[in-house]
């Protein structure tokens, strides 16, 4: 059984409406690890609906969280905002309402593309509207108990004057520097490091925030959450999940939600993806270079607990090939191979939107990598595809859209992540070349061999072989000669296929010019 079905079955043992939650703090570029969290939850949610069970998928953006530090991708001017809620800090590019929106909006767009449609809640709005007030009062009334739980379970000593409430200083607007002096419902008196002394009324919204270890369980109760996965950093012994379970049960009187712990995703050659380090690959970028169904496939095809390495280099091409193969098997065009587990479910969960009734038109991804470097515009790429019979004349609008979308992903990948080895540029004028007499002979022979033949990949490929044999040069030298005269470089894409996509006359003229 697929892992998402196993988790869904676990949930429906309890006959009630299920609320599946994911919460991500948009304090920086939202990284691919977060994508795993949200897609894991989405998968369980879809399985629940499949089983005819009522459920809701929610996403709580903790945009009332304070900025922790000046991250490497921020300018020094952000120093003054450290400690302030990220919803109240200006956006780094100037185009968004706030710092939080700057990162959140692009992530929400990514979710749309990847087919995840949660109900969205923003913590800053909820706090400011007073929706946390009751949870705050309960926490403050149980200060000693909560302190005890956290100290015992996390084995961490809390300061004597600690209370489960971070006051937002009215003067400096920071959530991290005010210390409570006295709590007497509904007033909390405080003194801030900025020198300000004042008091807040907790019946008013937005005057402070529950600390993370209390905020999380309070949320479980408020939304009636029954399932929420979390990264392994929160699942450590004595971590936020452990204290959260105790707090939600003993203080808020609500059972802790079910969960699964997911592993991080590593970027090949770069280490774990943590947004706070600023080196992480953002979810948005990952989605720009990876077709959405393929990104989903990567996560659906692996248990959440499996450690994954995402290779933004050539590995990406292999991943797409793997997906395409899975698709052929799903539609009965090919036999399954060993290792294809839960194939039907994996394929279905990989679809951002509806599952196609018939197999989408497949074009080897590597071919697209070649084609988008020959022509820039999709309409021109399509002309090549039509001329070379790689797509039918009556291409369906769905297939057109699908291929175009893939071409866009390839382009982004080539511009930003692809290794040089796959990159090339067709030189419109003869580049500087350095070829021997033997190589010239090879080109003359090739010209003779292919002029009369039909211009297709196989004929070209065979002619190259024949001509290298005729003039007795290694096949490698033959290819190298072709790349030199067309691309001005030593290496290139598979020659037969590559040349077949170029205009025949253009290639023949170039060869003639080279042998002159
Ligand atoms: Zn912005
Ligand atoms: Zn202050």
């Amino acid at each position: 059984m697929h892992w998402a079905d196993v988790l869904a079955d676990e949930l429906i043992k309890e006959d009630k409406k299920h609320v599946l939650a994911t919460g991500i703090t948009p304090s920086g570029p939202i990284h691919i690890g977060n994508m795993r969290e949200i897609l894991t939850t989405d998968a369980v949610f879809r399985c629940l609906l499949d089983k005819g069970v009522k459920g809701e998928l929610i996403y709580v953006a903790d945009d009332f969280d304070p900025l922790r530090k000046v991250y490497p991708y921020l300018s020094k001017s952000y120093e003054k905002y450290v400690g302030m809620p990220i919803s109240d800090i200006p956006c780094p590019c100037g185009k968004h309402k706030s710092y939080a929106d700057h990162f959140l909006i692009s992530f929400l767009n990514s979710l749309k593309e990847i087919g995840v449609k949660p109900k969205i809640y923003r913590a800053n709005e909820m706090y400011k509207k007073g929706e946390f007030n009751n949870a705050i009062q309960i926490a403050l009334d149980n200060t000693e108990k909560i302190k005890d739980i956290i100290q015992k379970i996390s084995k961490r000593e809390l300061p004597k004057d600690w209370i489960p409430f971070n006051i937002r200083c009215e003067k400096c607007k920071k959530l991290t520097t005010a210390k409570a002096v006295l709590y007497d419902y509904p007033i909390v008196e405080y003194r801030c490091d900025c020198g300000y002394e004042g008091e807040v009324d907790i019946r008013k919204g937005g005057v402070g925030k529950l600390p993370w270890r209390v905020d999380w369980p309070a949320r479980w109760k408020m939304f009636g959450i029954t399932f929420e996965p979390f990264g392994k950093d929160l699942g450590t012994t004595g971590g936020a999940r452990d204290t959260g379970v105790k707090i939600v049960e003993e203080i808020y009187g609500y059972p802790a939600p079910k969960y699964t712990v997911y592993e991080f995703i590593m970027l090949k050659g770069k280490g774990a993806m943590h947004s706070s380090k600023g080196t992480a690959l953002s979810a948005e970028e990952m989605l720009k270079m990876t077709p959405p169904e393929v990104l989903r496939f990567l996560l659906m095809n692996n248990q959440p607990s499996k450690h994954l390495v995402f290779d933004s280099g050539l590995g990406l091409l292999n991943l797409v090939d793997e997906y395409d193969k899975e698709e052929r098997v799903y539609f009965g065009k090919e036999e399954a191979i060993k290792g294809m587990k839960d194939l039907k479910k994996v394929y279905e969960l990989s679809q951002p939107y509806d599952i196609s009734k018939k197999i989408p038109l497949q074009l080897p991804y590597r071919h697209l990598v070649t084609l988008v470097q020959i022509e820039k515009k999709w309409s021109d790429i399509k002309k090549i595809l039509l001329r070379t019979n790689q797509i039918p004349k009556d291409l369906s609008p769905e297939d057109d859209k699908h291929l175009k979308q893939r071409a866009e992903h390839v382009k982004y990948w080539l511009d930003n992540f692809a290794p040089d080895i796959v990159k090339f540029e067709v030189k419109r004028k003869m580049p500087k070349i350095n070829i021997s007499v033997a190589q010239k002979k090879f080109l003359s022979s090739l010209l003779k061999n292919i002029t009369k033949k039909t211009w297709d990949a196989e004929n070209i490929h065979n002619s190259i072989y024949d001509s290298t044999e005729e003039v007795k040069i290694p096949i490698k030298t033959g290819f190298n000669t072709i790349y030199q005269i067309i691309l001005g470089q030593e290496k290139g894409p598979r020659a037969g296929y590559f040349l077949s996509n170029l205009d025949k006359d253009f290639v023949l003229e170039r060869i003639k010019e080279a042998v002159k």
Side-chain angles (χ1 to χ4, degrees):
M1 213 193 314
H2 189 267
W3 56 262
D5 269 326
V6 175
L7 289 167
D9 281 349
E10 195 55 43
L11 282 182
I12 55 181
K13 280 182 190 160
E14 269 184 90
D15 183 21
K16 59 175 166 185
K17 185 191 166 195
H18 285 281
V19 179
L20 295 81
T22 117
I24 294 156
T25 304
S27 61
I30 290 168
H31 61 92
I32 173 62
N34 297 135
M35 198 60 115
R36 188 170 210 177
E37 169 164 328
I38 210 146
L39 283 176
T40 299
T41 318
D42 183 57
V44 179
F45 174 62
R46 287 187 184 195
C47 288
L48 269 187
L49 297 188
D50 271 357
K51 294 170 201 285
V53 175
K54 265 203 198 124
E56 194 182 9
L57 178 66
I58 66 168
Y59 167 56
V60 185
D62 194 354
D63 57 355
F64 202 48
D65 209 42
L67 182 69
R68 307 273 165 190
K69 60 176 185 180
V70 181
Y71 297 112
Y73 46 80
L74 295 174
S75 83
K76 284 237 159 41
S77 67
Y78 274 80
E79 195 64 61
K80 61 178 175 288
Y81 299 125
V82 172
M84 282 171 62
I86 53 174
S87 54
D88 295 351
I89 299 175
C91 122
C93 79
K95 289 184 195 139
H96 301 91
K97 217 175 71 201
S98 70
Y99 180 96
D101 270 28
H102 177 84
F103 295 108
L104 190 58
I105 301 287
S106 68
F107 182 64
L108 294 180
N109 287 336
S110 300
L111 288 188
K112 235 177 255 165
E113 188 179 354
I114 208 155
V116 181
K117 294 157 282 179
K119 179 146 199 244
I120 292 150
Y121 293 91
R122 292 168 180 248
N124 100 83
E125 288 173 1
M126 295 180 65
Y127 269 103
K128 287 172 185 166
K129 279 190 212 148
E131 288 169 19
F132 272 89
N133 287 3
N134 187 36
I136 290 169
Q137 191 192 337
I138 293 173
L140 283 171
D141 289 346
N142 289 280
T143 296
E144 284 316 308
K145 277 193 202 155
I146 293 176
K147 195 173 170 183
D148 222 42
I149 291 172
I150 295 177
Q151 295 199 124
K152 263 198 199 124
I153 296 179
S154 75
K155 307 223 164 19
R156 205 175 57 153
E157 194 76 26
L158 291 171
K160 258 206 169 73
D161 54 358
W162 184 89
I163 59 166
F165 188 59
N166 296 330
I167 303 146
R168 185 177 175 219
C169 170
E170 294 147 290
K171 176 134 187 281
C172 69
K173 310 288 181 209
K174 295 189 177 185
L175 276 164
T176 47
T177 42
K179 307 264 175 331
V181 180
L182 186 77
Y183 165 62
D184 188 7
Y185 179 82
I187 302 297
V188 186
E189 285 176 28
Y190 67 94
R191 190 176 297 138
C192 182
D193 290 354
C194 74
Y196 188 77
E197 284 178 27
E199 54 176 51
V200 289
D201 181 337
I202 61 161
R203 292 170 304 178
K204 278 193 201 147
V207 298
K209 186 183 195 292
L210 292 168
W212 164 239
R213 280 184 188 258
V214 185
D215 182 291
W216 198 19
R219 227 191 263 172
W220 292 338
K221 161 84 185 267
M222 284 167 63
F223 289 100
I225 292 167
T226 57
F227 178 82
E228 180 167 357
F230 49 87
K232 65 167 185 182
D233 54 334
L234 297 177
T236 49
T237 313
R241 163 79 196 184
D242 274 1
T243 52
V245 169
K246 204 85 176 149
I247 291 170
V248 80
E249 286 171 359
E250 292 188 3
I251 308 298
Y252 290 112
Y254 181 81
K258 295 207 161 51
Y259 65 97
T260 183
V261 182
Y262 62 87
E263 255 287 347
F264 295 129
I265 301 179
M266 315 284 269
L267 182 59
K268 194 178 174 194
K270 284 244 177 85
M273 296 193 180
H274 285 286
S275 52
S276 59
K277 282 187 191 144
T279 50
L281 177 70
S282 74
E284 197 191 11
E285 264 182 313
M286 188 185 194
L287 189 51
K288 274 188 188 152
M289 76 168 113
T290 318
E293 67 278 11
V294 176
L295 182 51
R296 286 191 72 108
F297 170 71
L298 172 67
L299 299 176
M300 296 308 144
N301 197 29
N302 291 286
Q303 293 268 356
S305 60
K306 190 173 166 205
H307 170 97
L308 289 181
V309 177
F310 180 75
D311 177 1
S312 60
L314 293 176
L316 178 60
L317 303 184
N318 297 333
L319 180 64
V320 181
D321 288 347
E322 202 189 322
Y323 171 84
D324 284 352
K325 187 171 179 64
E326 186 108 355
E327 183 169 78
R328 291 193 295 277
V329 176
Y330 179 85
F331 284 99
K333 309 281 173 199
E334 231 173 75
E335 293 280 314
I337 53 162
K338 240 178 97 187
M340 282 184 173
K341 257 191 85 199
D342 304 309
L343 180 131
K344 187 168 176 290
K345 196 78 192 190
V346 167
Y347 181 78
E348 289 172 358
L349 286 174
S350 300
Q351 304 312 306
Y353 290 96
D354 299 335
I355 299 155
S356 180
K357 293 225 163 38
K358 63 179 188 53
I359 186 165
L361 183 79
Q362 288 198 348
L363 188 69
Y365 207 59
R366 275 160 228 267
H367 285 186
L368 272 176
V369 172
T370 300
L371 290 166
V372 303
Q373 296 186 84
I374 294 174
E375 289 293 354
K376 301 257 174 300
K377 284 194 293 195
W378 173 240
S379 53
D380 292 329
I381 294 171
K382 236 165 63 175
K383 273 182 209 150
I384 297 179
L385 288 168
L386 276 170
R387 172 165 56 76
T388 50
N389 295 320
Q390 297 180 75
I391 55 171
K393 283 196 183 65
D394 55 347
L395 184 70
S396 74
E398 297 82 47
D399 285 336
D400 189 307
K401 194 176 152 210
H402 176 65
L403 291 177
K404 183 177 177 221
Q405 192 194 36
R406 281 198 162 191
E408 279 160 8
H409 285 96
V410 168
K411 218 171 280 169
Y412 189 84
W413 178 71
L414 282 165
D415 288 346
N416 298 285
F417 294 94
D420 287 339
I421 190 166
V422 299
K423 290 190 204 169
F424 64 82
E425 184 199 344
V426 176
K427 298 282 188 279
R428 293 297 149 192
K429 279 196 187 123
M430 179 70 119
K432 262 210 180 102
I433 52 169
N434 180 17
I435 55 174
S436 64
V437 178
Q439 280 170 303
K440 278 193 180 179
K441 274 189 191 155
F442 156 74
L443 287 174
S444 302
S445 155
L446 182 63
L447 191 62
K448 202 169 71 229
N449 279 335
I450 53 173
T451 301
K452 283 186 203 119
K453 284 192 187 137
T454 316
W455 192 243
D456 67 34
E458 204 187 337
N459 277 336
I460 298 169
H461 180 82
N462 292 338
S463 302
I464 296 170
Y465 265 89
D466 292 347
S467 294
T468 53
E469 269 172 23
E470 217 177 290
V471 300
K472 301 200 168 46
I473 59 166
I475 182 67
K476 243 183 96 182
T477 312
F479 289 139
N480 168 283
T481 314
I482 290 164
Y483 298 136
Q484 273 205 56
I485 66 167
I486 309 273
L487 307 174
Q489 63 188 41
E490 303 277 318
K491 290 195 166 108
R494 291 173 71 167
Y497 177 76
F498 168 56
L499 293 183
S500 75
N501 288 297
L502 297 176
D503 181 61
K504 183 177 184 182
D505 291 337
F506 166 79
V507 176
L508 298 186
E509 280 308 310
R510 183 59 57 86
I511 296 176
K512 277 181 204 157
E513 202 184 333
V515 293
K516 247 196 269 169

